[in-house]
Amino acid sequence: MAAQYSISGTSAKGISASVERGVAEGGLAPGDALPPVRRLAEELGVSPGTVATAYKELRGRGIVVTRGRGGTVVAQAPAVGSRRPPRVPAGVRDLAGGHPDPAFLPVLRPPARVEPVGGSHRASPRLAELEAVAREWCARDGVPDEHVTFAHGALDCVSRLLSAELRPGDAVAVEDPGFHHLLDLVPALGLRMVPVAVDAGGMRAEPLRAALRAGARAVVCSPRAQSPGSGCFSAERRGELLAVLRDFPDVLVVEDDHNADVSGVPLHSLASGGLPRWAHVRTVSKHLGIDLRWAALACDAKTLARHDGRMLLTSGWVSHVLQETVLRLMGDAGTRALVRRAEETYTKRREELVGQLGRRGIAAQGHSGLSVWVPVRDESAVVNGLRSHGWWVAAGARFRIAAGPGVRVTTAGLDVADAVRLASDFAEVLGESEATYGG
């Protein structure tokens, strides 16, 4: 409780330092309320303006957030400890990571010769040939391609978009359950998360409306291969979401299409819905290789200017050696054929496990992407039970805010025989769990 920590200081700088010290040392925990401005001013013998200035500085650095009548509270720190995946035990099959099958990744071939650069690439940060390919890549799926730029992967792009658009304390609507790295990133930026429930169709319309009415200024969602639930927008769901979003024209909508080429389903993108503020991000790490930290961003003109303006102040550009490597792979006929086989195989493997689980009375979600989500009552019992059978799956805790428990199973490398055995072991573990834990 905040009352257990005594804030000190006679200047705005001293007061803010005292609060920050309390947060760092654990005397002030996430969610603890700070004293009202006037009360703390009386206790410290300073003016209310001094305390207000201290609180403003703390808000600006993301240490506290103000919730209207709820007062000023310590911001939620990123839950790195709970969301970081545990080490994979020795001797088990790793189905927890969400990674592609290396058998379907091409060999990376950087340029054999790289000429020295005279100066920097700030004036021409994007290779013209790769920009043209990126435009075609987006247009292929109906995403407007008038404004396109690059970033160092999806999270880098989302981080820059949110940082340029929002201020510490602002709220972001996120999927629940959702991508665990995003759930760490948002509070690390000093922003608040508003969870939005998802189902097989991805983010749901009415919970999104509630989040926007609660003040969310940005939305981050996945139109397909939603992590961890594997949901994907249908044409109907897309229409429902657009109907909600059109009532909030100032909200930035960010789509993370990280599995674009191996999701196994068509894209129903919000980006083509005529929204005034939107961004569509897609990466190549799932189908070309995790070392390729490159993302294409299509967005409205204002968002492009803010993103690129912020990038120019930091890294400046994405390495042209990396861009050249991506360009060569995306233009290679053999690589394109390998990616097509990967998408077909991932779809069969995902659907096989869902089918095998279903035959044993176990409901599972596996509609797109590389993983399957299985709702369970006791995550620990299931994870530990499957471990005893030689499988390692991801407990759902690090993906969830308010959603119910479950486990994520990566199916990218799971062949038919594996799926049969895993489903059988899963059924046995659930039976043991029900007998031991009451379900």
Side-chain angles (χ1 to χ4, degrees):
M1 296 292 292
Q4 296 175 333
Y5 180 81
S6 179
I7 299 173
S8 61
T10 57
S11 66
K13 185 175 182 179
I15 295 169
S16 63
S18 174
V19 172
E20 188 167 3
R21 184 166 56 251
V23 172
E25 295 175 354
L28 290 170
D32 279 351
L34 300 189
V37 169
R38 291 189 177 277
R39 193 177 83 197
L40 183 58
E42 291 177 0
E43 292 174 358
L44 299 178
V46 299
S47 71
T50 298
V51 176
T53 300
Y55 282 11
K56 181 179 180 181
E57 180 182 345
L58 291 165
R59 283 196 301 272
R61 287 187 285 129
I63 297 170
V64 303
V65 295
T66 298
R67 297 176 174 171
R69 293 183 178 180
T72 299
V73 302
V74 177
Q76 292 294 323
V80 176
S82 63
R83 299 192 199 276
R84 179 177 296 165
R87 187 183 301 274
V88 180
V92 297
R93 178 79 175 274
D94 182 11
L95 303 179
H99 304 304
D101 186 341
F104 292 101
L105 296 177
V107 175
L108 302 185
R109 301 187 184 280
R113 180 182 177 88
V114 180
E115 296 292 340
V117 176
S120 78
H121 288 306
R122 290 183 185 274
S124 55
R126 297 181 294 278
L127 291 179
E129 298 91 337
L130 184 56
E131 184 173 344
V133 169
R135 291 182 189 279
E136 293 172 3
W137 192 25
C138 292
R140 179 197 72 187
D141 292 322
V143 176
D145 64 339
E146 182 179 0
H147 305 289
V148 173
T149 189
F150 302 159
H152 304 88
L155 281 172
D156 171 76
C157 186
V158 172
S159 175
R160 192 172 295 108
L161 290 170
L162 296 180
S163 297
E165 187 72 23
L166 307 181
R167 295 294 176 266
D170 285 345
V172 181
V174 298
E175 297 163 330
D176 183 24
F179 184 34
H180 57 294
H181 289 308
L182 177 68
L183 301 188
D184 286 344
L185 173 65
V186 172
L189 296 174
L191 305 172
R192 294 185 292 114
M193 292 188 293
V194 182
V196 178
V198 300
D199 58 17
M203 187 172 274
R204 292 168 50 198
E206 287 311 306
L208 174 60
R209 185 185 299 278
L212 296 175
R213 284 176 173 169
R217 294 191 55 209
V219 178
V220 182
C221 61
S222 296
R224 51 186 172 178
Q226 185 269 334
S227 177
S230 76
C232 53
F233 293 166
S234 63
E236 181 181 9
R237 177 61 58 85
R238 172 185 177 272
E240 294 169 353
L241 293 171
L242 285 173
V244 171
L245 291 166
R246 288 183 183 123
D247 291 336
F248 301 87
D250 296 329
V251 169
L252 174 64
V253 179
V254 181
E255 283 189 329
D256 179 6
D257 193 19
H258 58 283
N259 261 335
D261 282 29
V262 289
S263 64
V265 294
L267 176 68
H268 296 285
S269 174
L270 301 174
S272 57
L275 298 173
R277 302 299 314 283
W278 62 275
H280 180 90
V281 188
R282 51 176 58 185
T283 61
V284 297
S285 60
K286 295 297 187 185
H287 67 280
L288 296 184
I290 61 172
D291 258 347
L292 297 177
R293 311 310 296 168
W294 176 84
L297 167 65
C299 54
D300 66 89
K302 181 185 291 187
T303 300
L304 179 82
R306 292 181 175 178
H307 174 277
D308 282 7
R310 186 62 62 91
M311 175 172 270
L312 284 171
L313 293 172
T314 53
S315 60
W317 66 90
V318 176
S319 162
H320 279 210
V321 176
L322 174 58
Q323 291 188 46
E324 182 70 32
T325 303
V326 173
L327 177 62
R328 292 184 178 201
L329 286 171
M330 293 184 77
D332 180 67
T335 298
R336 291 198 298 269
L338 181 64
V339 172
R340 286 194 295 271
R341 291 200 301 274
E343 182 175 37
E344 294 170 358
T345 303
Y346 291 155
T347 298
K348 291 178 181 177
R349 290 175 175 176
R350 186 184 65 249
E351 292 178 347
E352 181 66 29
L353 180 60
V354 171
Q356 291 293 338
L357 290 171
R359 293 184 186 98
R360 293 161 176 80
I362 303 170
Q365 299 176 15
H367 308 280
S368 56
L370 310 183
S371 298
V372 166
W373 176 258
V374 187
V376 299
R377 293 187 181 181
D378 190 313
E379 293 177 1
S380 296
V382 172
V383 170
N384 291 325
L386 287 175
R387 176 183 177 179
S388 69
H389 287 272
W391 308 103
W392 186 246
V393 301
R398 71 180 191 269
F399 304 99
R400 300 187 287 110
I401 303 173
V407 296
R408 188 186 72 173
V409 183
T410 300
T411 55
L414 200 68
D415 62 26
V416 173
D418 290 332
V420 173
R421 185 165 66 89
L422 174 59
S424 178
D425 291 342
F426 212 121
E428 182 177 337
V429 167
L430 288 181
E432 293 172 351
S433 172
E434 183 173 354
T436 305
Y437 298 98

